């Protein structure tokens, strides 16, 4: 009877997570009359959905790579010997805030900063005489979305990668130095190979984080830039007329991409934890 | 040996600080601009938001939703994680797997399934934020509360605590509320605060399921009044900020207490 204690929780996840996810899986293969079909899924290969998925993957790749690189450099700078301890805890706390500050308010913060009448835009125009909007820049574009996403991607990277950087023990560095290795050789033969699984795992997490984001992109562009989640939003809110099963097919497409990410992430995570303290 | 901070570290930390702070400072300056002229400085944008009945109504809805989500999540998860760690260790990997599912089924996918699955269910559930939306938010909060609780439970010896409590004649309820809960307080509070920040900012499901919550109000202001929008954006940032700083302080106090206990 011991399992009864855990029953309410499992029932709840069944009702509000697993069954709704199952509805998406099954609904994507249904037609309007209730029969089985592959048409919804093949629709994803046509416009506008093909571009939406391409854009989503592109934005996620760019922000995972850039956010991962910048997050790593900032995390390492905050942790490495010589940096005062208080700076590290300050950056960790600020990252906790920034990684969770997403969605509509984040979008508006950037509109107030880099929008057409944003504070930084006005400063550049008035003081530097260079209005970025006269030179092809727009916040309400794919580039704009990438800039805004980096605001939560960089701190997320910092939070995820810091334990791995902590795992690079000082003894290894001392041992390498005693054997005559230069810092570059240490990084090439010890540091980077040890960090690599954590780095790849963290970047996959960043990719998924960006791929699944809806509110930030919607708040920034109200759907002006074609992304997969944006189209799901259009289909659900009835802004475009379409078969509801196409929305489920789009949702299934996203689910498949994220499931592949998770399948890559779990073994990397296991490898990375080998060096954890 | 005491080393000086490396020049490279200074550069990257400054880049990080600038990326974090510039949008916040800009939003603050934006929020001080006068509605009619767009020049500095006035506090009337804050007044306009704070006196707006719609602001009070939506922030109240979101806050009650957050409390409900926290209450339901803890009521479901504290006994389950306790039980799984105590008696049902076989189920540990199952919950660990379930806790990863919300990352594969993000809000934008979950809402598609939820709307379809519960279409036609009674209005007291389907049309009420405290029914449909709260259920969805418990799922969103689940991984965060679970990972927090699991770490908390692994840091204490629940077998010894449970046996000690029961040999003194305590029942399950007393054991959980008077013995276990006080020992995992930090984990519970951290999970609860994170959930508060998530619910107070969740837009995707609320918007697509047509509920009127605080983030929906923010988006409405964004599209209609530029300068008050900056004020409400900062208010929302303040909520996230307060929750995260409280978690950081709680964690540090716990670390300090543990370090103190070790000596």
């Amino acid at each position: 009877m011991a399992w009864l204690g855990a029953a309410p929780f499992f029932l709840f996840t069944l009702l509000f997570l697993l069954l709704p996810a199952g509805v998406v899986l099954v609904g994507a293969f249904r037609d309007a009359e209730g029969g089985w079909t592959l048409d919804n899924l093949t629709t994803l290969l046509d416009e506008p959905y093909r571009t939406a998925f391409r854009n989503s993957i592109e934005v996620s790749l760019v922000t995972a790579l850039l956010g991962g690189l910048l997050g790593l450099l900032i995390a390492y700078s905050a942790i490495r010997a010589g940096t005062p301890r208080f700076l590290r805890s300050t950056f960790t706390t600020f990252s906790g805030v920034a990684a969770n500050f997403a969605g509509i308010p984040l979008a508006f913060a950037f509109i107030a900063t880099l929008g057409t009448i944003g504070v930084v835009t006005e400063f550049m125009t008035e003081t530097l005489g260079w209005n970025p909007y006269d030179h092809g820049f727009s916040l309400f574009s794919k580039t704009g979305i990438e800039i805004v996403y980096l605001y939560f991607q960089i701190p997320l990277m910092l939070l995820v990668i810091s334990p791995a950087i902590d795992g690079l023990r000082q003894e290894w560095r001392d041992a390498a130095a005693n054997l005559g290795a230069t810092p570059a050789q240490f990084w090439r033969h010890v540091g980077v190979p040890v960090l690599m699984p954590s780095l790849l795992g963290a970047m996959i997490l960043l990719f998924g984080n960006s791929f699944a984001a809806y509110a930030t992109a919607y708040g920034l562009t109200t759907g002006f830039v074609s992304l997969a989640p944006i189209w799901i939003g259009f289909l659900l809110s009835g802004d475009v007329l379409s078969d509801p099963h196409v929305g489920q097919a789009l949702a299934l497409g996203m689910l498949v991409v994220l499931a592949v990410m998770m399948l890559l992430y779990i073994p990397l995570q296991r490898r990375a934890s080998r060096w954890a303290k | 040996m005491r080393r000086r901070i490396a020049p490279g570290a200074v550069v990257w930390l400054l880049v990080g600080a600038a990326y974090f702070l510039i949008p916040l400072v800009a939003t603050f300056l934006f929020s001080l601009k006068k509605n009619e002229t767009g020049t500095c400085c006035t506090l009337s944008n804050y007044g306009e938001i704070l006196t707006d009945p719609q602001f009070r109504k939506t922030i109240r809805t979101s806050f009650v939703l957050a409390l409900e989500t926290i209450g339901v999540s803890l009521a479901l998860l504290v006994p389950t994680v306790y039980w799984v760690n105590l008696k049902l260790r076989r189920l540990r990997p199952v919950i660990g797997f379930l806790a990863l599912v919300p990352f594969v089924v993000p809000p934008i996918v979950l809402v598609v399934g939820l709307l379809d699955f519960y279409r036609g269910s009674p209005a007291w559930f389907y049309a009420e934020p405290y029914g449909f939306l709260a259920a969805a938010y418990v799922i969103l909060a689940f991984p965060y509360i679970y990972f927090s609780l699991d770490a908390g439970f692994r840091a204490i010896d629940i077998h010894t605590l449970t046996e000690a409590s029961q040999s003194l004649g305590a029942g399950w309820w007393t054991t959980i509320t008077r013995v276990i809960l006080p020992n995992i307080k930090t984990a519970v509070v951290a999970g609860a605060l994170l959930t508060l920040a998530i619910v107070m900012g969740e837009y995707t499901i609320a918007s697509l399921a047509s509920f009127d919550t605080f983030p929906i109000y923010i988006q409405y202001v964004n599209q209609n009044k530029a300068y008050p929008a900056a004020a409400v954006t900062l208010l929302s940032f303040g909520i996230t900020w307060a929750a995260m700083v409280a978690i950081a302080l709680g964690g540090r106090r716990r670390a300090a207490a543990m370090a103190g206990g070790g000596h």
Side-chain angles (χ1 to χ4, degrees):
Chain A
M1 293 304 275
W3 59 272
L4 264 182
F9 167 76
F10 285 107
L11 187 68
F12 195 95
T13 42
L14 181 72
L15 281 177
F16 297 106
L17 177 61
L18 300 178
L19 286 176
V23 164
V24 170
L25 280 172
V26 175
F29 294 97
R30 292 277 191 168
D31 61 25
E33 282 79 47
W36 297 96
T37 177
L38 285 174
D39 288 354
N40 305 316
L41 289 178
T42 50
T43 309
L44 298 189
L45 298 174
D46 301 335
E47 296 301 343
Y49 308 118
R50 177 198 281 267
T51 305
F53 269 99
R54 215 190 31 229
N55 283 345
S56 271
I57 289 173
E58 189 187 315
V59 166
S60 306
L61 270 180
V62 169
T63 62
L65 289 175
L66 265 180
L69 184 67
L70 284 170
L72 173 70
L73 287 167
I74 295 168
Y76 180 65
S77 303
I79 290 173
R80 64 186 285 183
T83 305
R85 297 295 297 171
F86 82 92
L87 275 180
R88 176 180 182 174
S89 51
T90 311
F91 268 82
T92 308
T93 308
F94 276 65
S95 296
V97 178
N100 285 289
F101 184 59
I104 301 296
L106 175 64
F108 190 82
F110 270 90
I111 293 173
T113 308
L114 280 173
T116 40
I117 56 162
V119 171
V120 170
T121 311
E122 283 194 340
F123 173 81
M124 289 169 90
T125 311
E126 284 161 17
T127 314
L128 308 175
W130 194 84
N131 184 340
Y133 282 80
D134 294 340
H135 297 81
F137 172 81
S138 169
L139 184 64
F140 313 101
S141 65
K142 227 181 329 181
T143 312
I145 289 182
E146 286 161 1
I147 292 174
V148 179
Y149 279 13
L150 282 175
Y151 195 85
F152 54 74
Q153 296 283 65
I154 294 172
L156 180 64
M157 182 68 181
L158 187 140
L159 293 176
V160 175
I161 205 68
S162 288
I165 299 177
D166 277 333
L168 285 180
R169 282 160 228 181
Q170 187 62 39
E171 301 93 90
W172 298 348
R173 207 166 304 194
D174 297 342
N178 285 338
L179 293 170
T182 62
Q185 281 174 319
F186 167 77
W187 282 110
R188 185 161 174 274
H189 295 290
V190 182
V192 172
V194 167
L195 276 185
M196 201 37 97
S198 311
L199 270 179
L200 288 175
M203 285 196 188
I204 287 174
L205 213 61
L206 261 60
F207 181 96
N209 195 37
S210 158
F211 191 74
Y214 168 78
T216 312
Y218 183 82
L220 194 66
T221 66
T222 53
F224 194 66
V225 174
S226 171
L227 299 172
I230 294 287
W231 275 101
I232 296 181
F234 281 157
L235 293 168
L236 273 189
S237 51
D239 287 348
V240 287
L241 283 176
S242 171
D243 186 344
H245 293 292
V246 173
Q248 290 170 331
L250 270 170
L252 177 62
M254 289 193 65
L255 199 148
V256 167
V257 172
L258 290 166
V260 170
M261 292 291 119
M262 194 51 89
L263 287 180
L264 294 171
Y265 174 73
I266 292 171
L268 282 169
Q269 187 57 33
R270 209 158 283 161
R271 240 188 108 79
S273 63
R274 219 179 357 167
W275 300 110
K277 272 192 208 176
Chain B
M1 182 177 75
R2 209 174 155 76
R3 282 171 56 177
R4 294 256 301 273
I5 184 165
V10 176
V11 171
W12 291 114
L13 291 178
L14 282 177
V15 168
Y19 213 105
F20 180 78
L21 291 175
I22 289 174
L24 294 179
V25 173
T27 309
F28 177 65
L29 293 175
F30 207 75
S31 76
L32 297 178
K33 292 189 178 189
K34 291 199 187 85
N35 239 328
E36 302 77 23
T37 57
T39 53
C40 200
C41 291
T42 173
L43 284 174
S44 65
N45 295 314
Y46 290 89
E48 187 170 341
I49 293 298
L50 292 172
T51 54
D52 185 349
Q54 201 55 24
F55 165 75
R56 293 181 190 196
K57 194 175 148 253
T58 56
I59 204 162
R60 189 175 166 277
T61 306
S62 283
F63 189 68
V64 174
L65 254 176
L67 293 184
E68 186 189 355
T69 306
I70 292 167
V72 173
S73 303
L74 290 177
L76 281 173
L77 274 166
V78 170
T80 304
V81 180
Y82 170 62
W83 205 234
V84 165
N85 275 306
L86 190 69
K87 299 244 170 169
L88 295 168
R89 295 201 61 86
R90 280 173 296 127
L91 284 183
R92 257 186 72 92
V94 179
I95 297 204
F97 169 78
L98 280 178
L100 292 178
V101 174
F103 294 107
V104 178
V105 185
I108 186 75
V109 175
L110 183 65
V111 69
V112 175
L114 281 173
L115 283 175
D116 196 50
F117 191 71
Y118 288 99
R119 184 176 304 126
S121 63
W124 59 261
F125 174 77
Y126 195 65
E128 278 296 323
Y130 308 119
F132 183 90
L133 207 48
Y137 287 173
V138 170
I139 295 296
L140 294 194
F142 155 49
Y144 300 96
I145 295 196
Y146 168 71
F147 287 125
S148 184
L149 284 181
D150 193 54
F153 271 110
R154 268 188 300 177
I156 62 173
D157 183 352
I158 53 169
H159 291 274
T160 309
L161 285 173
T162 306
E163 279 167 28
S165 162
Q166 295 195 324
S167 66
L168 291 169
W172 286 114
W173 175 253
T174 315
T175 303
I176 290 187
T177 53
R178 310 261 319 254
V179 178
I180 299 297
L181 267 183
N183 276 294
I184 53 159
K185 204 167 60 190
T186 320
V188 169
V189 172
L193 287 168
L194 204 51
T195 305
L196 179 80
I198 291 170
V199 175
M200 295 302 286
E202 206 287 328
Y203 178 78
T204 306
I205 297 182
S207 142
L208 295 173
S210 319
F211 289 107
D212 209 7
T213 59
F214 184 49
I216 307 293
Y217 171 75
I218 302 180
Q219 174 65 0
Y220 164 79
V221 180
N222 282 357
Q223 293 194 310
N224 293 287
K225 311 172 202 171
Y227 302 122
V232 78
T233 293
L234 279 184
L235 275 169
S236 162
F237 176 78
I239 295 171
T240 312
W241 172 257
M244 293 302 140
V245 169
I247 292 175
L249 290 179
R252 204 167 301 155
R253 195 171 317 130
R254 179 178 168 205
M258 277 161 67
H263 289 291

